[in-house]
Amino acid sequence: MIETLIIVIVISLQTFFGYIESKLLGAILPIAVIVADIYFLANGLLSLSFRDIAMPIIGLLTLISLWEGGRQSKLSKQKREMQKMKAQDSKRQD
């Protein structure tokens, strides 16, 4: 249950950081993943197996794509709003 809540919070935060287009905040979680992976490798908690190398990379790419998804969502919303404003302006001119 707690794991699910943590996953939902991470997804929400990373998407929100992308939505507000904050590169600094969006980099916090990926950097934390990298630091944690290095720590686990240094302390022998992870081995150099395919799984132990691939999963952190997949997690890192997922966090980056969540950030980019939030950014694209905002850009799409801004584009729709701009089209609505242009449509209203063209109706007023007619």
Side-chain angles (χ1 to χ4, degrees), residues 2-73:
I2 297 240
E3 296 87 7
T4 305
L5 181 61
I6 290 171
I7 291 171
V8 168
I9 290 170
V10 166
I11 290 171
S12 300
L13 277 175
Q14 197 66 6
T15 304
F16 176 71
F17 293 155
Y19 188 81
I20 62 172
E21 297 185 42
S22 175
K23 292 180 183 177
L24 181 63
L25 292 174
I28 290 173
L29 292 174
I31 289 172
V33 167
I34 292 169
V35 169
D37 291 336
I38 291 170
Y39 173 79
F40 292 146
L41 275 171
N43 289 318
L45 298 172
L46 290 178
S47 62
L48 291 177
S49 68
F50 177 75
R51 179 177 175 254
D52 287 345
I53 299 298
M55 292 309 288
I57 292 171
I58 291 170
L60 185 62
L61 293 174
T62 301
L63 288 172
I64 293 169
S65 66
L66 286 169
W67 184 87
E68 181 63 23
R71 192 177 77 80
Q72 290 297 326
S73 173

